[in-house]
Amino acid sequence: METQRFGTFLNGEIWPDQQGVHINAHGGGILFHQGRYYWYGEHKVAGTAGNAALVGVHVYSSPDLMAWKDEGIALSVSEDPTSDICKGCVLERPKVLFNSRTGKFVLWFHLELRGRGYEAARCGVAVSDSPVGPFRFLGSLRPNAGALPRATHFSANPDIEFDGHEQDYFLKRDLPGGQMARDMSLFQDEDGTAYLIFASEENRTLHLSRLSDDYLAHTGDYVRIFPGRSNEAPALCAVQGHYWMITSGCTGWAPNPARAATAPSLTGPWTELPNPCRGTNPANGLGPEKTFGGQSTFILRVETPHPHYVALFDLWRPDNAIDGRYIWLPIDFTSESHPIVRWTDRQAI
Ligand code: DGJ
């Protein structure tokens, strides 16, 4: 394995932290707070065992997105076998926001209970006074029990299948106990309102759910996006008065073509756009048909005088989870009527 010095990150290669250790923050997201970036992600261990959570959520910090300081484990899995986040659970795609009303950092993540595969489909929440933790686990749930969606936005894509079910079969089935919540991301709007977006309804439909003012609960106010389109790995941003989303299809750890969507408001209407990817990853020969070998996890706003946006992808290595790699590519919102994510060899920042 080739090791590079920090400051020369190459997409899909080893990305060393300041100690020279490959960054261990998969399915991650980034918080910018008081002049510093905080990168939260899944801490993986070697082998296939690393696909379950044996350690917790890892956090790194950086002033410049190049030199990353290992800040340790922000949220640890529990040794208590009765805890929802006991060691051996599946804890994926952690994301953090700062709530300026409460002064707290709030972490949401996708949780699967130990020994139950992916059937639990819950989201977990934890809170901390510091961006680097320790975060205190508050609980897990299936959101929005008893609440019907504000709206449903359909994709015009012809590939949609409902597998013989009505398009709202799973929504109705899960109404009493709360909706399924798997791949997820957090988004904070300009007015400070926060949203959780997650793959729901057996991964067939995205739900975009408004959080309470303290970010610790769901409000019951949500929209359904693209029923039957089976989007995973959602990542959101707001640019030029519009909201933009990058997602993947649903093929486990294997790559598939990225998707994009836009809306004038978070509550919609959402419109599906063409695959945003262009170019080829020379290391594996993969281009837009397989998202360069990656899967979306987050859209980073780089806080320069003229902010720009970077799409973050994971290149999963499920046979040796700790060796998963990162691909950060610039998003071009100017060249066409839809965003373009072009391959570059170097990490874009
Ligand atoms: C795809 C998801 O995007 C990942 O986060 C993970 O849940 C894998 N599926 C598991 O197969």
Side-chain angles (χ1 to χ4, degrees), residues 6 9 15 38 64 74 111 151 158 166 192 202 204 222 231 238 251 308 315 325 330 346:
F6 68 81
F9 290 154
W15 284 20
Y38 295 87
D64 56 8
L111 176 70
E166 292 296 319
E202 302 286 358
R204 283 171 173 76
Y222 68 104
N231 282 291
T251 53
H308 56 281
L315 210 154
R325 308 295 177 88
R346 288 174 64 100

Side-chain angles (χ1 to χ4, degrees), residues 42 90 92-93 110 118 183 232-233 248 251-253 295 316:
E42 304 159 26
V90 169
E92 293 181 338
R93 298 183 178 270
H110 165 205
Y118 276 79
D183 277 15
E232 283 195 319
S248 74
T251 53
W253 300 112
Q295 187 185 30
W316 302 111

